[in-house]
Amino acid sequence: MLEPDEIRQRFLAAVNELTPEMAEKLARPDAKREFALVAAEPLPPGEALVGAVARAAISENGREAEFAILVSHYIAGMGLGRHLMRRLVRWAKGRKLERLCGDVLEHNLPMLALAQSLGFHREPTDQPGLVRVVLDLTGRDSHLHDQPQAA
């Protein structure tokens, strides 16, 4: 179960209920433009306890993707966010994209620290309270390595 603050950090706004359209989009990513990972504990058939979700979607310009990661506070600090981010980066590099970026609430210090440790830099946004983190995938600035690192 996700806390309201965790949902707000993922959606960057309070979300009381998923519309059928939102649920469909989250459950069925477009394989040509989107990539999604879910870490879940299996329960009885047809059920699962979701602990983390990571997504990336290629922008309209086709040169970058925007990411979002949500890790439940119950399992935060175990390195799962780092693992999921590395998988998103590998996917984006495999698609020959130039950049991977995401908007992070400025008080989400764990996500900002993770992004910085993986070579993301900050870019200004016009939205108060948000920080845009960007990873250059062309090799000019990226120092993300595939070797595991401590979270």
Side-chain angles (χ1 to χ4, degrees), residues 83-137:
H83 176 72
L84 293 172
M85 182 60 85
R86 289 178 176 279
R87 293 287 309 272
L88 294 180
V89 170
R90 278 197 295 268
W91 173 82
K93 284 182 174 181
R95 295 293 184 128
K96 307 286 191 241
L97 300 177
E98 295 173 11
R99 298 169 18 127
L100 182 63
C101 57
D103 293 332
V104 181
L105 291 171
E106 65 185 4
H107 68 270
N108 186 349
L109 300 180
M111 185 63 216
L112 292 172
L114 171 62
Q116 182 178 2
S117 75
L118 294 175
F120 284 76
H121 67 273
R122 294 180 183 204
E123 288 186 353
T125 70
D126 56 356
Q127 297 180 339
L130 284 184
V131 176
R132 174 150 283 226
V133 293
V134 178
L135 181 66
D136 176 12
L137 300 173

Side-chain angles (χ1 to χ4, degrees), residues 43-57:
L43 295 174
E47 297 180 32
L49 180 62
V50 175
V53 177
R55 299 179 58 85

